[in-house]
Amino acid sequence: MDTETRVLDALASLNRIGATINRLGLGDQAGIDGALKLIAQSAITVVPGASAVIYAFDPVRHSFDPSSRVSAGELSAPLPGDEPRPDGLGARAIAQRRCVLSYEEHDLPIHQVKRAAGARVVACFPLVVAEQPLGVLYVYLHESRRFSQLELLLLDNFVNHAAMALHQAGHLVTVQRDLARAEDELARLRRADLLISSRLSLRETLEAILQMALEVTGARYGIFRLVDRTGLKLVTAAFAGEGLGQPAVEALPINTTSIMGWVAKYRQPLCITDLCANPWVRIYYPLDHGVEMRSELAVPLIGASGRLEGVLNLESPAVAAFSDQDSLLLQALATQAVIAIQEVRLLDALQEIAERLLNQPPQQVFDRLVEMACELLNTAVGSIWVLEDDQLAVRSASAGYLRGERVPVHGSLTGEAILTRSPIIAGDVRTDHRFLRHDLARAEGWTSALVVPLMAGPGGQPVGAFSVFSSEQDTRRFGDAEWDKKVLTCLAHHAALAVQEASRREALRAAEEQRAVAETFAAVGDIAANLLHRVNNKIGTIPVRVQGIQDKSRSALEADPYLATNLAEIEHSAGEAMSVMRESLFHLRPIEVAPVNVALAVTDAITQASLPPGIEVKVAGLADLPLVMAGAQRLALVFANLLENAATAMEGRGVIALHGHVHDRWAEIAVSDNGPGIPPELHERIFEFNFSGRQAHAGKLGFGLWWVRTLMARFGGSIAVESDGEHGATFILRLPLAASFSAAEARR
């Protein structure tokens, strides 16, 4: 065959080989084998009388794969023991990345099995792509001669095509394996989603996720450790694995003294190929001390709000057991675990609040809701606001705001949630024009804010708002995740129920007080009238009898001054007794309520109270109050009682502040002091008739706050106390406005 014909045949073979490689598809092993077979046959066409053999090479194991053999020519049939030698010509071609010719390698003979079969000369071509050895092409001559330059040039071209075919084969196998793994991982993640929506407990859900992680990564052990309530330790929530003896499940500190603590502290996934290497060997904490582990994979559990929930950890006895894909899969499973943890915590919180709504006063429910919002959303502060006309009043706050503090609905950030009836987010309340307390935000270090309305009733009418704030140390923003809105909206719904419950309880309490007062004073009035009549009959005769004695025994009395003085004192005492009786029983008579000026009643009370010099009384907003319905003398008595109580609590030194404002059809007067306060558990007891802490005051009945509440009820109003037990107390008095008072209510 002349040279031109050989070149043309070679080019035609190269075209067929290229077309075959281009047609290779996913999983087309037959096509790959066909392309390699075509390359081998083309090689013996270029070199007449030769034989060609192709082997794949595994670069990880540094060995040839005998099962990958593709051959053509007289020596194509495999012979016992003719596999490539670990230190043969093919291995040298791979190691040196060059064509190796047997007649140039004087120190390395041809494989003895091939020589025995008739091979006299061999050329070994490494199949390399991107410096990665993939296989080798052996071309055997049955005669003792050298390869021509044309033959070597043409074989080089076949070698490049063979390398590309093997590379394509490996790539397709990898793609196929990755697709299969991805499908398996997606199936497992779908299973994890189903687990979260099932009725399994949190521990069972975490154990199932662990089992998935063990199956897909081949790990021996796995463990979930979650952050405890203090935020300083990781406590075991679930573990799984084969052959566990005595698992070490004690709590670990969140610091660099353990691998899981390190991951929690720095919030970074960690893949350790060898636990015996530094620095990990010094902080490795085994799950089971009886089994040696060499590889570890750990990822942090971080919620959408940026809160650290815990760490998920896997271990294996093999070195370098985990890949980057394993780490990505574990991070995906960790995300599912975080969702499960957050869902369980939210459900537990809602169950707790539902029970509290049935068993606890609304104020305690508000306080617990604020605590829950801060815990679930990992926020610095939370507050609940209640709608009062065109203002919002703080009902509960964990920090910053004071209870009772108000902001207008129109023109405020919190009010915007009321007006739009939807969640409102502020990026930085320190500069947001809608937030009216920039000074408070800067002092407390608040940044981002989330506010949701409290919607109540079938029509979804707003009754207040729920707000939370992040701090300067917190990099999260509330707009980054819908989870924050979901959690706060759920809690806001229960807060709205608490507002409704508070309103119902207040109405019920007022009705019960009105009825009790009416019944009590109906009975007491009859007793008082009968008592006054009988006492008057007895004591009223004393002055008459004294005057009779004075008339008939005038000379004796003139002769005995002692007798005259005592007889006059008896007459005077009897008169005073009747006066005191009439004055005291006056308080038990029906009250003729009439329009009263609150400011004047307070002025009279200050005069009556005779407060110590160390007490300062500050009055604001009382002069602007409209007239209220009450009894003027008795209302002054109410304020005098409260002023004297406050002065006693402050031990004669301090400030008493009275502030008034109008709310709906009521006037509200707050009487505040800076004394030691009243513990929350005593807020109701101090109004009891037989409360041991009451103090009587000169010239009064001596019934203390019970009498104050009774009088307020007789006015058609109410009184309540607000105090944390440490920073003073505030008594809130509510009196009906005269303008909204009906004639039918004018008599109590």
Side-chain angles (χ1 to χ4, degrees):
M1 181 182 298
D2 58 27
T3 300
E4 182 178 355
T5 302
R6 292 173 63 187
V7 171
L8 291 174
D9 288 344
L11 291 175
S13 295
L14 289 174
N15 285 333
R16 290 194 298 273
I17 293 168
T20 302
I21 293 174
N22 289 334
R23 288 195 300 269
L24 293 178
L26 188 61
D28 188 8
Q29 187 60 44
I32 295 171
D33 293 341
L36 294 176
K37 184 71 174 178
L38 182 57
I39 291 170
Q41 290 176 343
S42 299
I44 64 175
T45 301
V46 172
V47 184
S51 299
V53 181
I54 299 175
Y55 285 100
F57 180 78
D58 186 345
V60 176
R61 298 180 180 179
H62 299 284
S63 63
F64 294 96
D65 180 10
S67 64
S68 66
R69 174 187 174 114
V70 175
S71 60
E74 295 182 11
L75 298 179
S76 61
L79 299 172
D82 71 343
E83 295 86 359
R85 295 167 294 177
D87 55 353
L89 294 169
R92 180 169 291 181
I94 290 291
Q96 298 181 5
R97 305 290 198 276
R98 65 179 180 85
C99 173
V100 173
L101 302 172
S102 59
Y103 47 78
E104 293 180 351
E105 308 297 323
H106 303 292
D107 61 328
L108 194 58
I110 298 175
H111 197 299
Q112 59 182 0
V113 176
K114 293 296 185 181
R115 177 171 288 279
R120 295 295 176 261
V121 176
V122 61
C124 299
F125 296 86
L127 310 181
V128 179
V129 174
E131 296 300 320
Q132 186 73 13
L134 303 175
V136 66
L137 168 64
Y138 295 90
V139 180
Y140 297 97
L141 294 177
H142 302 279
E143 54 181 323
S144 297
R145 71 174 181 85
R146 292 175 177 264
F147 289 93
S148 68
Q149 290 299 319
L150 178 60
E151 290 172 337
L152 292 175
L153 179 61
L154 294 174
L155 288 173
D156 274 337
N157 282 276
F158 292 129
V159 163
N160 291 331
H161 281 71
M164 289 303 301
L166 288 173
H167 175 71
Q168 181 76 350
H171 176 70
L172 293 176
V173 169
T174 300
V175 170
Q176 188 173 18
R177 183 176 63 249
D178 290 345
L179 286 175
R181 180 185 177 116
E183 291 178 358
D184 182 64
E185 291 175 358
L186 288 174
R188 294 178 189 276
L189 292 177
R190 284 193 293 268
R191 284 176 55 197
D193 287 335
L194 293 175
L195 283 172
I196 293 172
S197 60
S198 69
R199 297 183 179 180
L200 294 174
S201 67
L202 177 61
R203 181 182 60 81
E204 292 172 327
T205 300
L206 296 181
E207 287 178 350
I209 292 175
L210 275 177
Q211 197 59 46
M212 293 179 194
L214 296 180
E215 292 173 3
V216 75
T217 62
R220 176 73 64 85
Y221 303 134
I223 186 170
F224 274 104
R225 279 191 169 94
L226 304 183
V227 179
D228 69 354
R229 289 185 178 274
T230 67
L232 302 176
K233 293 183 178 181
L234 297 171
V235 296
T236 300
F239 59 87
E242 298 179 359
L244 285 171
Q246 295 181 339
V249 295
E250 56 264 34
L252 298 178
I254 299 179
N255 55 31
T256 57
T257 60
S258 69
I259 291 174
M260 293 189 75
W262 188 97
V263 171
K265 177 179 176 63
Y266 293 105
R267 301 189 175 199
Q268 294 293 329
L270 195 59
C271 184
I272 302 174
T273 58
D274 190 354
L275 291 167
C276 293
N278 286 323
W280 312 117
V281 67
R282 296 194 298 270
I283 63 173
Y284 171 59
Y285 187 85
L287 175 59
D288 193 326
H289 293 279
V291 181
E292 182 183 7
M293 294 288 108
R294 296 298 300 273
S295 299
E296 184 162 340
L297 179 59
V299 298
L301 309 177
I302 300 177
S305 63
R307 172 177 178 161
L308 176 69
E309 301 289 353
V311 177
L312 169 55
N313 182 63
L314 300 180
E315 294 183 14
S316 172
V319 176
F322 304 113
S323 64
D324 291 340
Q325 287 181 322
D326 293 328
S327 180
L328 292 175
L329 173 64
L330 200 63
Q331 291 176 55
L333 291 175
T335 300
Q336 304 299 315
V338 168
I339 295 173
I341 294 167
Q342 291 179 329
E343 291 283 358
V344 168
R345 283 182 174 157
L346 178 57
L347 290 175
D348 288 346
L350 295 181
Q351 181 178 354
E352 178 188 336
I353 285 299
E355 294 174 355
R356 287 177 179 265
L357 281 170
L358 297 174
N359 303 317
Q360 292 186 347
Q363 187 57 49
Q364 294 185 23
V365 175
F366 291 135
D367 294 341
R368 181 59 182 140
L369 280 167
V370 170
E371 291 178 1
M372 285 181 172
C374 294
E375 292 171 0
L376 293 173
L377 298 179
N378 195 28
T379 60
V381 64
S383 56
I384 293 177
W385 304 73
V386 177
L387 186 62
E388 297 180 352
D389 296 330
D390 59 349
Q391 290 187 321
L392 284 161
V394 176
R395 188 63 184 265
S396 179
S398 58
Y401 286 113
L402 299 177
R403 185 175 170 187
E405 188 169 345
R406 285 172 166 79
V407 297
V409 172
H410 294 274
S412 68
L413 179 69
T414 311
E416 188 171 331
I418 296 290
L419 298 175
T420 62
R421 303 189 179 190
S422 61
I424 299 297
I425 295 174
D428 192 339
V429 294
R430 295 170 298 183
T431 56
D432 195 307
H433 71 278
R434 299 170 298 176
F435 191 71
L436 306 182
R437 292 296 308 276
H438 292 163
D439 58 332
L440 182 61
R442 294 189 182 97
E444 297 289 335
W446 298 345
T447 53
S448 180
L450 171 62
V451 187
V452 300
L454 309 184
M455 310 298 289
Q461 294 298 316
V463 295
F466 206 146
S467 59
V468 289
F469 301 88
S470 62
S471 64
E472 293 175 330
Q473 292 76 26
D474 190 357
T475 58
R476 53 81 67 84
R477 290 293 180 268
F478 290 112
D480 296 340
E482 290 296 318
W483 173 255
D484 298 331
K485 295 180 184 177
K486 175 181 177 180
V487 170
L488 198 59
T489 300
C490 288
L491 296 180
H493 173 70
H494 287 74
L497 295 177
V499 171
Q500 290 181 303
E501 178 64 17
S503 178
R504 284 193 292 266
R505 288 194 181 195
E506 179 63 23
L508 179 60
R509 184 195 61 77
E512 290 177 344
E513 284 188 356
Q514 292 287 346
R515 185 177 66 254
V517 168
E519 293 174 353
T520 299
F521 277 87
V524 171
D526 291 340
I527 295 172
N530 183 53
L531 177 63
L532 183 60
H533 175 72
R534 297 182 64 180
V535 170
N536 187 62
N537 288 339
K538 297 297 183 180
I539 300 179
T541 62
I542 294 176
V544 176
R545 292 179 182 274
V546 169
Q547 290 176 4
I549 294 173
Q550 289 173 338
D551 290 340
K552 293 182 178 181
S553 306
R554 186 177 302 277
S555 58
L557 294 174
E558 290 176 352
D560 189 348
Y562 174 78
L563 181 61
T565 300
N566 279 278
L567 191 62
E569 185 63 29
I570 290 173
E571 181 183 12
H572 178 71
S573 295
E576 281 191 346
M578 289 300 299
S579 177
V580 170
M581 178 69 72
R582 291 189 182 94
E583 181 182 350
S584 295
L585 293 179
F586 162 79
H587 295 292
L588 302 178
R589 295 173 183 172
I591 297 176
E592 295 291 338
V593 295
V596 175
N597 186 306
V598 174
L600 293 179
V602 170
T603 301
D604 291 343
I606 295 173
T607 302
Q608 294 178 29
S610 300
L611 299 173
I615 297 296
E616 180 185 0
V617 179
K618 295 182 177 180
V619 177
L622 299 186
D624 298 329
L625 289 179
L627 299 178
V628 300
M629 297 304 293
Q633 292 181 350
R634 290 178 174 88
L635 183 57
L637 176 63
V638 166
F639 284 115
N641 192 299
L642 294 176
L643 291 171
E644 290 172 347
N645 282 350
T648 301
M650 294 186 294
E651 298 180 349
R653 297 190 65 84
V655 177
I656 303 175
L658 292 91
H659 177 268
H661 70 276
V662 176
H663 170 57
D664 197 8
R665 297 182 300 114
W666 302 87
E668 288 192 358
I669 303 94
V671 182
S672 304
D673 64 61
N674 56 0
I678 301 171
E681 62 271 15
L682 297 181
H683 286 185
E684 289 299 321
R685 290 192 58 202
I686 60 174
F687 295 106
E688 295 176 0
F689 179 79
N690 60 347
F691 179 64
S692 60
R694 71 184 186 281
Q695 295 186 8
H697 302 288
K700 309 300 186 298
L701 286 178
F703 296 152
L705 291 175
W706 174 84
W707 185 247
V708 170
R709 172 174 277 188
T710 300
L711 286 175
M712 290 299 296
R714 295 178 71 187
F715 299 154
S718 64
I719 184 172
V721 64
E722 297 179 352
S723 176
D724 61 2
E726 297 179 2
H727 305 92
T730 298
F731 287 88
I732 307 296
L733 289 77
R734 301 184 78 210
L735 291 165
L737 298 178
S740 60
F741 205 77
S742 65
E745 298 174 294
R747 185 179 182 84
R748 284 284 183 267

